[in-house]
């Protein structure tokens, strides 16, 4: 069983920045595919960004150039740096660890509002 715990959400003004962190348990973290999803009220959960074990990254079009996903295998942690935040980025952000199966965190709220 892999435990996944997100942190770093909060309230930020438009144009501001936040960094989300996700800690995942397990000695094989380095080979997990790590992903950030988000779900806004009334909308489906969407994949925001992913990072492979080799460090390859992918982003949904709406966050390209603003968000950066990274990982620190020594700390079993993946990060999502979010810059130039917009009100439409408001959502619960979930971290997902993909190994032999998929493991989810409990989510962290990000609210972008003036």
């Amino acid at each position: 069983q892999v435990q996944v715990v997100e942190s770093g959400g909060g309230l930020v003004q438009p144009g501001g920045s936040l960094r989300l962190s996700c800690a995942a348990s397990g000695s094989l973290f380095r080979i997990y595919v790590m992903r950030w999803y988000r779900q806004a009220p009334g909308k489906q959960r969407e994949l925001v960004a992913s990072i492979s074990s080799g460090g390859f990254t992918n982003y949904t079009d709406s966050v390209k150039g603003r968000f950066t996903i990274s990982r620190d295998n020594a700390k079993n942690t993946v990060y999502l740096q979010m810059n130039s935040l917009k009100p439409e980025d408001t959502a619960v952000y979930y971290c997902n660890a993909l190994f032999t199966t998929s493991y989810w965190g409990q989510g962290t709220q990000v609210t972008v509002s003036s």
Side-chain angles (χ1 to χ4, degrees):
Q1 186 78 7
V2 174
Q3 304 298 320
V4 179
V5 180
E6 306 98 334
S7 61
L11 173 64
V12 63
Q13 292 187 342
S17 298
L18 279 176
R19 188 177 80 157
L20 304 182
S21 299
C22 169
S25 64
S27 60
L28 297 178
F29 174 84
R30 68 188 183 282
I31 67 172
Y32 299 168
V33 176
M34 299 299 297
R35 301 180 288 193
W36 285 99
Y37 287 77
R38 66 185 179 187
Q39 187 166 20
K43 294 188 177 181
Q44 289 189 332
R45 190 173 296 190
E46 67 166 341
L47 177 61
V48 175
S50 64
I51 185 166
S52 71
S53 58
F56 293 102
T57 59
N58 276 292
Y59 301 91
T60 192
D61 285 346
S62 62
V63 309
K64 284 181 180 177
R66 300 188 298 122
F67 290 11
T68 302
I69 188 171
S70 61
R71 66 191 299 159
D72 185 340
N73 291 336
K75 296 182 178 180
N76 276 31
T77 300
V78 65
Y79 304 98
L80 186 67
Q81 178 66 44
M82 305 185 294
N83 299 328
S84 302
L85 283 161
K86 304 175 181 180
E88 51 263 44
D89 295 317
T90 295
V92 178
Y93 283 70
Y94 296 91
C95 182
N96 175 270
L98 180 61
F99 181 37
T100 55
T101 188
S102 188
Y103 299 91
W104 292 91
Q106 79 289 349
T108 186
Q109 176 70 48
V110 172
T111 303
V112 185
S113 175
S114 55

